[in-house]
Amino acid sequence: MPMIQLKKLDSVELGWGLEISIFKSHSRMQKISVLLFLVWICFLFYAGIALFTSGFLLTRLELTNHSSCQEPPGPGFLPWGSQGEPRACWMDSRFSRLVLVLIDALRFDFVQPQRSNVPGETSVSLPFLGKLGSLQRILEIQPHHARLYQSKADPPTTTMQRLKALTTGSLPTFIDAGSNFASYAIVEDNLIKQLTSAGRRVVFMGDDTWKDLFPGAFSQAFFFPSFNVRDLHTVDNGILEHLYPTMDSGEWDVLIAHFLGVDHCGHKHGPHHPEMAKKLSQMDQVIQGVVERLENDTLLVVIGDHGMTKNGDHGGDSEPEISAALFLYSPSALFHKAPPEVSRFLHTYSAAAQDLQVTEIHRLHNLFSKASADYQRLLQSPQGAEAALQTVITELQQFLRGVRALCIESWARFSLVRMAGGAALLAAACFLCLLVSQWATSPGFYLCLVPVAWGLAGVILCAGLLAITGLKLDPVVLGAMAAVGSLVPFLWKAWPGWGSKRPLAALLPIPGPVLLFLFIRFAALFSDSFVVAEARATRFLLGSFILLLVAQLHWEGKLLPPKLLTIPRLGFSTPTAPPRHNSMQALWLGVTLLLCIRLAEFFHRCPEETPVCHSSPWLSPLASTVGGRAKNLWYGACVGALVALLVAVRLWLRRYGNLKSPEPPVLFVRWGLPLMVLGTAAYWALASGADEAPPRLRALVAGASVVLPRAVAGLAASGLMLLLWRPVTVLVKATMGTPRTRTVLTPFSGPPTSQADLDYVVPQIYRHMQEEFRDRLERNKSQGPLTVAAYKLGSVYSAAMVTALTFMAFPLLLLHAERISLVFLLLFLQSFLLLHLLAAGIPITIPGPFTVPWQAVSAWALMATQTFYATGHQPVFPAIHWNAAFVGFPEGHGSSTWLPALLVGANTFASHLLFAVGCPLLLLWPFLCESQGSGKRRQPAGNEAEARVRPEEEEEPLMEMRLRDSPHHFNTALLQLGLKYLFVLGIQILACALSASILRRHLMVWKVFAPKFIFEAMGFIVSSVGLCLGLALVMRVDGAVSSWFRQLVLAQQR
């Protein structure tokens, strides 16, 4: 770690100050150019993603037509003889009142009786079986008054989409799954609209999602907040407070009660937890109470909107998710009739949308006409009607299945032009990243950014003219035009100069093994089996990559002397620097890294397509743990992981001396981080034991559950602000008297190996200062010079990065279950080991250029994916951790939708964000590792006597200060690193887009490929933003170091 010493001067020449100012301005412009270019590259990717998405994930047309009693649903007359009758429409009103009890996530097997044990098999007690005994008793005692059906829900099985399907009779669309955060009013014809139009009094109580879907539609309503999945009782207890009094009052025609306790219990504990038995027993008592109050003209409908997986999640199309219960009961006998309303909807929709297959519409119309004619004949001559009735039922079933298949195919209609344009734009952005990552070393590169600005300005001008003329332009298409309009002039300007100096082989500068790895990743995303098993495949690929890195170090002579090399290089570069690690150290790094990857596997979540797999029980919160002793032991382990993470960061900062700095960020690390650990541990203690808290303390526990997470997030934000304000963590000392060292500054840590070691000083301006010092000191020997020493500048960049990552990790950790803290500890350990292993293979060339190999970038991106799976995530909607939306907001967010979306997104893509922000460490760590094995400065031959006389001239390595020798190479290295990382991520999103488009008619497209594309796209956006933030932080530190040097020089003048 370098120590820079300056001596007091009487004056500094004006010309020198002008040189410093020009040098600083040029370096700042290069930094801004690098960031702007990366932002532009990200914009190209965003435009491609948006264009492809607009062609791939389409929504259906919602008709505003509404049925009326005066308009018959089908051809012919109405056979029921009810035209014009009051409170009747198309048929006689069989029931005067309806009670709809909607039990959210009531899976079909929840209503099954307790199964008897099979002889010879182990008895297994399932908490959810046999708890709804009242339904079974009614079915046995009154078989003609009750019916139990298994309802099949169309995916996506999220609550809002299922409510729209139940009330409108339509199919939910895939893209609407994200609307669970913001439900929108239904404009289609629906049951609630028809009931209110007929003058029926509709009373609702329960889930406040209905408030957004049907605003102002109820004669009386009792809404309760619904999105807090940790709250099992508020909604249900609120309903029970009003349910029975409302029924007894008689001031209603339709009563809807939407219970959420079963669904929330599944999210919080899973279906196999004892709490599920309690909730189902409560629902059984509710049904009994409702049945006792029913009158003869009242129909009771008990229904589940969807089911749940074995983990308690829902949203996909697995059998447990789409299987729901439907129970009908009335004190009078039941019967069934259905008007042909579907045929009219099909005719109206085909006329409005004009996207249904004409031949299929004609076939279905003929089938429906035949069924209607048979039905009319059956009504006119009921003798011998059993066979005719069965024929009509079969024909109507075929008609309904055909309509459903036709609508599903139409509403999955793709725009091939937009999909192809989006994929082409993604491919162009990837190619540009690959091209510029090799070309950015050209001195005239930054001049080629001017066409980008002209292209963007032209597109904006074109959009303005179109807006003035009144022509409507899709914002997605406008963004794509802006991307293409800026890309073409850039390539037009850049290609001639680049192509004349680069061979064609330079277009593929990636080493063979890395290119093979990227190709495997690219091709495997076209397989649904690989996507389902990607968690295991990622661990295998990462382990193989680590073994390849160790072998590469051995083959290139960076672990053993070059004379022992007997194996070919396999396409890797020739060693240019002496070994940093011996073979045992590298082997220890590799083995420990493989062990960490293996340990992280214990926190896996199984995809629903692999029923033989069992998800880790450690992913659930501690509140669901049964047994106080086990809960206490786990809590101690989680707190221990927090403390270990804190101690590891502090020891690392102390190891490189940055913890001794008096700067505000370092002081915050000393005192703020322990407070964050304490707040996190306290919140976990309250969250895990909230249900067991005494009644008199529950208000205090609820208040602390709100304050503690917000306090931890506030502390983390404060620490980041302090780091941005004062990012230089160095120790400065000023002493009077003769300095210990004769030389002012030493630019190298060993014997000179090149002319660059003799010509360059870090930073370069101190070469001029050294000459000035010598002249001034000769004239001022009688004075006691003032010596200013700056310590620990060698790790100033990486110290800021590690500190920022630590500040970000704690609030992100708070959004996960408690035991994920062990994974976060493994994450930091894995990153540390991988950085050391990669640093051993990255040569340091002085004074540049600096570069990060492709294998390092690929391994870093692969570890981000591995951590995504290790934290219990899967690229499917049922695996989203919705609990994160209520950390610090247990009562919900009111009408706000962006905050819960932000919290859930931060939970889901925490690994993407942390690894992207930490990506600059790949460039910084090799310089940081320069201190390993560095002892005293070795003297040239013949200087042994002088070395014995002046042992104080030993100097520490310059480490990261070498980057300041050549600011142009430093900025270019940051740009190349960002482009390589975006290329690796862009290849993955391009593969997902191509697989989703090519396999768009595949059976698993909506179950596997579409969710994978959406998650990969969101992960790319988060990673690209994090990458720009990480690079901006490094540039902020570099600018602060320059300002610090400048202030130090000015202080010497005084």
Side-chain angles (χ1 to χ4, degrees), residues 204-524:
F204 176 83
M205 52 191 69
D207 186 350
D208 60 355
T209 303
W210 292 72
K211 180 180 179 181
D212 299 320
L213 294 177
F214 308 100
F218 303 108
S219 60
Q220 192 177 12
F222 306 95
F223 298 112
F224 303 96
S226 60
F227 207 65
N228 186 2
V229 294
R230 295 185 178 183
D231 185 358
L232 308 184
H233 308 293
T234 297
V235 177
D236 294 358
N237 293 341
I239 295 174
L240 294 177
E241 183 181 350
H242 300 282
L243 178 60
Y244 301 137
T246 303
M247 292 187 66
D248 296 338
S249 68
E251 297 180 356
W252 57 277
D253 297 307
V254 177
L255 195 156
I256 304 174
H258 187 168
F259 292 89
L260 287 176
V262 173
D263 178 71
H264 287 188
C265 184
H267 284 296
K268 184 176 181 180
H269 302 293
H272 297 84
H273 196 274
E275 283 294 328
M276 183 61 75
K278 296 179 182 179
K279 262 298 159 189
L280 291 175
S281 298
Q282 183 188 27
M283 294 298 100
D284 187 64
Q285 296 176 4
V286 170
I287 295 173
Q288 292 183 34
V290 171
V291 169
E292 293 172 356
R293 292 170 170 79
L294 290 180
E295 299 179 358
N296 290 335
D297 62 344
T298 305
L299 174 66
L300 170 64
V301 178
V302 180
I303 187 173
D305 57 343
H306 53 75
M308 65 174 65
T309 65
K310 59 184 178 180
N311 297 322
D313 302 318
H314 59 89
D317 61 350
S318 65
E319 182 62 26
E321 292 172 277
I322 66 174
S323 175
L326 172 61
F327 176 78
L328 305 176
Y329 170 76
S330 176
S332 58
L334 297 174
F335 70 95
H336 177 70
K337 287 183 181 179
E341 172 70 5
V342 177
S343 175
R344 188 170 68 174
F345 171 81
L346 182 64
H347 174 75
T348 306
Y349 186 88
S350 61
Q354 298 182 352
D355 58 359
L356 301 179
Q357 298 182 13
V358 178
T359 56
E360 185 66 13
I361 291 178
H362 287 315
R363 187 187 73 82
L364 293 174
H365 178 73
N366 294 334
L367 180 62
F368 176 73
S369 298
K370 183 178 182 302
S372 299
D374 294 342
Y375 185 57
Q376 297 288 343
R377 287 193 297 269
L378 177 63
L379 292 175
Q380 295 175 2
S381 57
Q383 293 80 11
E386 187 67 28
L389 179 61
Q390 187 61 40
T391 301
V392 172
I393 292 175
T394 302
E395 290 173 345
L396 290 176
Q397 286 178 343
Q398 292 177 356
F399 170 73
L400 291 175
R401 291 193 183 101
V403 172
R404 181 177 182 274
L406 178 64
C407 291
I408 289 178
E409 183 179 1
S410 172
W411 294 337
R413 180 175 51 92
F414 307 101
S415 174
L416 298 181
V417 175
R418 292 197 174 199
M419 293 169 62
L425 198 51
L426 289 174
C430 290
F431 175 74
L432 189 63
C433 289
L434 186 64
L435 181 72
V436 179
S437 65
Q438 302 302 311
W439 175 42
T441 55
S442 173
F445 163 75
Y446 297 99
L447 299 178
C448 295
L449 299 180
V450 177
V452 175
W454 281 109
L456 290 175
V459 173
I460 294 175
L461 179 61
C462 178
L465 293 177
L466 290 175
I468 294 174
T469 56
L471 297 178
K472 184 178 179 181
L473 187 62
D474 190 346
V476 174
V477 177
L478 179 62
M481 290 175 55
V484 176
S486 60
L487 180 61
V488 171
F490 176 83
L491 294 178
W492 181 268
K493 174 72 174 178
W495 183 264
W498 186 88
S500 61
K501 300 177 182 178
R502 298 289 196 275
L504 184 61
L507 293 178
L508 289 177
I510 307 176
V514 179
L515 189 62
L516 177 63
F517 155 76
L518 292 177
F519 176 77
I520 292 174
R521 285 280 293 169
F522 183 90

Side-chain angles (χ1 to χ4, degrees), residues 1000-1016:
R1000 60 186 179 276
R1001 298 300 180 189
H1002 192 277
L1003 179 64
M1004 305 293 287
V1005 61
W1006 299 116
K1007 187 177 183 64
V1008 175
F1009 295 110
K1012 177 61 177 175
F1013 167 74
I1014 293 176
F1015 275 78
E1016 202 67 44

Side-chain angles (χ1 to χ4, degrees), residues 310 318 528-529 532-534 536 604-615 874 1007:
K310 59 184 178 180
S318 65
D528 60 325
S529 300
V532 170
E534 188 180 18
R536 289 179 293 164
H604 69 286
R605 177 187 290 270
C606 295
E608 57 191 33
E609 293 81 8
T610 55
V612 296
C613 177
H614 299 284
S615 297
Q874 284 284 337
K1007 187 177 183 64

Side-chain angles (χ1 to χ4, degrees), residues 181 208 224-231 234-235 264 702 705-706 710 882-901 903:
F181 282 115
D208 60 355
F224 303 96
S226 60
F227 207 65
N228 186 2
V229 294
R230 295 185 178 183
D231 185 358
T234 297
V235 177
H264 287 188
S705 299
V706 174
R710 298 184 185 184
W882 301 109
N883 291 342
F886 302 97
V887 175
F889 300 89
E891 301 299 328
H893 303 269
S895 60
S896 174
T897 57
W898 66 269
L899 185 56
L903 294 175

Side-chain angles (χ1 to χ4, degrees), residues 905-928:
N907 170 280
T908 305
F909 301 104
S911 63
H912 297 73
L913 181 62
L914 290 175
F915 276 90
V917 173
C919 190
L921 291 175
L922 294 173
L923 174 64
L924 303 174
W925 213 266
F927 295 91
L928 198 67

Side-chain angles (χ1 to χ4, degrees), residues 35-233:
L35 275 181
L36 290 179
F37 187 81
L38 288 175
V39 170
W40 174 60
I41 293 292
C42 293
F43 169 71
L44 297 181
F45 278 106
Y46 298 162
I49 292 173
L51 187 60
F52 180 87
T53 303
S54 66
F56 179 65
L57 299 177
L58 295 179
T59 57
R60 61 180 175 85
L61 175 66
E62 293 187 349
L63 300 179
T64 57
N65 305 56
H66 291 83
S67 301
S68 64
C69 295
Q70 290 74 27
E71 185 180 359
F77 63 92
L78 290 176
W80 304 284
S82 60
Q83 280 184 302
E85 294 185 7
R87 302 173 69 85
C89 187
W90 299 344
M91 68 172 62
D92 293 332
S93 180
R94 176 65 182 82
F95 299 100
S96 300
R97 291 181 174 181
L98 167 68
V99 177
L100 175 61
V101 177
L102 177 58
I103 302 178
D104 208 293
L106 182 64
R107 205 167 67 188
F108 180 69
D109 56 350
F110 287 1
V111 302
Q112 298 297 313
Q114 183 72 43
R115 297 188 180 92
S116 59
N117 296 330
V118 179
E121 293 186 2
T122 305
S123 176
V124 178
S125 178
L126 299 177
F128 54 80
L129 291 180
K131 298 302 182 291
L132 296 175
S134 61
L135 302 184
Q136 296 298 326
R137 288 193 297 270
I138 293 174
L139 290 170
E140 294 173 359
I141 297 174
Q142 298 177 288
H144 298 289
H145 295 253
R147 292 289 188 274
L148 177 63
Y149 301 98
Q150 182 178 8
S151 174
K152 294 293 186 178
D154 286 300
T157 51
T158 51
T159 296
M160 195 274 283
Q161 279 66 40
R162 294 306 311 145
L163 292 181
K164 292 178 69 174
L166 289 172
T167 55
T168 64
S170 62
L171 295 174
T173 52
F174 184 85
I175 194 61
D176 283 342
S179 298
N180 246 18
F181 282 115
S183 304
Y184 299 104
I186 295 178
V187 298
E188 291 181 294
D189 197 6
N190 57 83
L191 291 176
I192 305 301
K193 174 68 176 179
Q194 290 294 330
L195 289 170
T196 55
S197 298
R200 300 302 180 103
R201 296 167 297 177
V202 183
V203 178
F204 176 83
M205 52 191 69
D207 186 350
D208 60 355
T209 303
W210 292 72
K211 180 180 179 181
D212 299 320
L213 294 177
F214 308 100
F218 303 108
S219 60
Q220 192 177 12
F222 306 95
F223 298 112
F224 303 96
S226 60
F227 207 65
N228 186 2
V229 294
R230 295 185 178 183
D231 185 358
L232 308 184
H233 308 293

Side-chain angles (χ1 to χ4, degrees), residues 756-984:
D757 286 334
L758 300 175
D759 295 338
Y760 282 84
V761 181
V762 182
Q764 291 190 34
I765 59 174
Y766 287 97
R767 182 168 53 231
H768 304 284
M769 295 175 61
Q770 185 177 7
E771 297 173 359
E772 286 290 326
F773 290 161
R774 289 174 178 172
D775 295 338
R776 303 290 181 177
L777 289 174
E778 291 296 331
R779 296 193 298 268
N780 297 283
K781 288 184 178 180
S782 59
Q783 301 178 2
L786 174 65
T787 303
V788 180
Y791 298 89
K792 316 310 177 187
L793 275 169
S795 57
V796 64
Y797 298 103
S798 55
M801 293 299 304
V802 171
T803 304
L805 290 172
T806 306
F807 289 156
M808 295 173 57
F810 277 95
L812 292 175
L813 175 58
L814 204 60
L815 298 175
H816 291 76
E818 296 89 343
R819 285 174 279 201
I820 298 297
S821 59
L822 301 174
V823 180
F824 269 69
L825 181 61
L826 287 174
L827 179 153
F828 271 77
L829 181 57
Q830 283 181 211
S831 305
F832 173 81
L833 295 173
L834 181 62
L835 286 171
H836 270 71
L837 191 61
L838 293 173
I842 300 178
I844 298 178
T845 56
I846 303 299
F850 314 116
T851 184
V852 178
W854 281 98
Q855 53 266 32
V857 179
S858 302
W860 193 254
L862 191 61
M863 184 168 285
T865 303
Q866 181 257 341
T867 308
F868 170 80
Y869 289 104
T871 49
H873 294 97
Q874 284 284 337
V876 290
F877 291 108
I880 294 178
H881 299 174
W882 301 109
N883 291 342
F886 302 97
V887 175
F889 300 89
E891 301 299 328
H893 303 269
S895 60
S896 174
T897 57
W898 66 269
L899 185 56
L902 179 64
L903 294 175
V904 174
N907 170 280
T908 305
F909 301 104
S911 63
H912 297 73
L913 181 62
L914 290 175
F915 276 90
V917 173
C919 190
L921 291 175
L922 294 173
L923 174 64
L924 303 174
W925 213 266
F927 295 91
L928 198 67
C929 292
E930 186 184 355
S931 62
Q932 297 181 359
S934 300
K936 300 180 179 181
R937 177 186 174 187
R938 291 177 293 175
Q939 300 291 334
N943 289 350
E944 291 83 356
E946 183 179 356
R948 287 193 299 267
V949 174
R950 294 192 313 274
E952 67 275 5
E953 290 196 25
E954 302 165 359
E955 296 207 10
E956 296 174 339
L958 295 176
M959 297 158 59
E960 292 174 357
M961 280 295 98
R962 293 189 183 277
L963 292 167
R964 293 186 54 81
D965 268 345
S966 181
H968 171 74
H969 289 310
F970 187 17
N971 294 326
T972 301
L974 291 176
L975 176 61
Q976 288 179 319
L977 175 62
L979 292 173
K980 290 178 180 179
Y981 197 71
L982 289 176
F983 174 79
V984 174

